Amino acid sequence: MSFEASLRSLARLSDTDLSREWTWPDKGPADLRNAFFHLLMEEQSALVDAASPINEADRILALAQRAFGDLRGLLLAIPDALLDREHAPGEWSVRRTMEHTIGVERSYRANTQHALLRDDGEPLALAPERRPKPDPADTAGDAFAIARSLARRRAETDAALARTDASQLTRPSQWAAVKETFAVDVRFRLHRFGAHLVEHTQQVEKTIRALGQSETDAQAYVRQLSIVRARHERRSPEVVRARLDAEVGAVAEAARS
C-alpha cells in the first residue's frame, strides 16, 4: 500500500477508534492515537537525517513542498461525495479549487522558466499560446487521485527549478495579480509557489467546513504526517521511505482489523 493510500485509510478513523489497542514496536501496549505519534516520530527522524537543500532556490521550493504536504493531507481526508459540492451558489467546489491550484502550479513554473531562459529582447510576459493548457486528467477521479496529480505537478516544478543559480534569482519577470501587473523577479516567483498552496489549502478547508465536515483527530494527525513526509521525500533515501511506507501501512492494516 502506498503512503498516500495508507493515510487515506487512517483518515477515516473516528476519535473513538483512537482508543483501540495497538502495540508500540519494541515497547508495549498502547493505543491507535499513539500509533500516529510513533509514525510522526519516525518521519521526523527521517527529516532530521535527510540531505539539506542545495541552494536558495531549493530552500524556497522546500517551503512550497511543506505547504503541499498540508494540502495533500487535507485532500486525503475529504470524502469523495464532497468533491463537487458548492457550499453556496457561485462558490468553488473542492474539485474546482484544485483545478485552479494545479493549473497555477503549472503556469507559475512556465512563467518562471520563461524568466530564466528568455533573451533580453523578448517580452517579460510569457505569450498566451505558450502557457500550459488545462489538463482535465489532473483533477479527474477521487480525492486520492487529485492528491497524486498535485504531487506529480509539484515534482515537475522542483525538478525544473530547484537548481536555479543564485545569480539568476534577480532575473526580471511580470506577475499578474487580481487587478494589476507587477514587476517582479525570479526569487519572487519562486516564493509564490508556497504562498499559493497555502491560499488554497485555506479555501479547501473553509469549503469542507461549510459543507459540515469537521476535522477529526486522525485527520489532523494525517495532515502532520503528510507535512513531515513532504519535507523529506525529495531528500531522504528510497530505502528509508520504503521502510516508513511499510510502517504506516502496518498501522493502517492494524486499524482495519
Side-chain angles (χ1 to χ4, degrees):
M1 184 183 297
S2 70
F3 175 71
E4 294 92 344
S6 295
L7 291 190
R8 180 89 163 142
S9 177
L10 290 171
R12 298 190 178 104
L13 296 175
S14 68
D15 290 354
T16 301
D17 288 331
L18 297 185
S19 63
R20 287 162 42 198
E21 292 183 359
W22 171 79
T23 300
W24 195 303
D26 303 320
K27 289 180 174 56
D31 57 20
L32 281 174
R33 186 181 301 275
N34 276 284
F36 280 99
F37 303 146
H38 162 68
L39 294 174
L40 186 60
M41 292 164 65
E42 291 295 298
E43 295 286 344
Q44 290 174 171
S45 179
L47 172 59
V48 169
D49 292 339
S52 299
I54 59 174
N55 58 24
E56 183 179 350
D58 199 15
R59 290 195 296 274
I60 294 170
L61 291 172
L63 298 174
Q65 188 64 8
R66 190 265 180 216
F68 154 74
D70 192 19
L71 180 51
R72 173 178 60 184
L74 178 60
L75 287 170
L76 292 173
I78 296 175
D80 294 330
L82 299 185
L83 282 177
D84 297 299
R85 290 180 56 189
E86 298 176 355
H87 66 86
E91 295 293 336
W92 285 2
S93 66
V94 172
R95 192 185 305 276
R96 177 67 186 89
T97 301
M98 293 310 302
E99 288 173 358
H100 169 81
T101 303
I102 296 175
V104 169
E105 177 81 23
R106 298 175 64 213
S107 176
Y108 278 4
R109 179 170 70 251
N111 278 280
T112 307
Q113 289 178 300
H114 174 70
L116 290 167
L117 300 174
R118 72 175 184 84
D119 293 331
D120 289 341
E122 287 187 85
L124 288 176
L126 182 64
E129 64 271 14
R130 294 175 57 191
R131 295 171 187 169
K133 302 298 186 290
D135 186 350
D138 282 337
T139 50
D142 57 13
F144 176 82
I146 295 172
R148 295 294 293 267
S149 293
L150 177 60
R152 183 176 68 255
R153 296 304 190 181
R154 276 255 64 253
E156 291 170 356
T157 295
D158 287 0
L161 300 175
R163 293 186 177 275
T164 300
D165 189 79
S167 64
Q168 296 178 292
L169 295 180
T170 55
R171 291 273 297 170
S173 182
Q174 281 185 346
W175 175 65
V178 177
K179 297 181 180 179
E180 300 288 342
T181 298
F182 298 105
V184 299
D185 58 17
V186 166
R187 179 181 282 110
F188 176 96
R189 280 203 163 278
L190 292 177
H191 276 292
R192 281 299 304 162
F193 286 98
H196 190 255
L197 290 167
V198 169
E199 176 184 357
H200 293 293
T201 299
Q202 175 67 5
Q203 184 177 1
V204 170
E205 196 165 9
K206 288 171 67 175
T207 298
I208 61 174
R209 192 162 56 239
L211 291 172
Q213 175 166 312
S214 300
E215 188 172 66
T216 65
D217 286 356
Q219 289 165 356
Y221 301 152
V222 160
R223 287 176 72 174
Q224 292 303 313
L225 286 168
S226 180
I227 288 170
V228 181
R229 170 63 68 94
R231 292 181 63 193
H232 74 74
E233 62 190 350
R234 298 269 197 275
R235 311 174 192 286
S236 53
E238 184 176 355
V239 64
V240 170
R241 297 193 306 276
R243 174 180 60 79
L244 295 172
D245 289 350
E247 290 193 23
V248 70
V251 171
E253 183 64 32
R256 285 196 300 270
S257 62

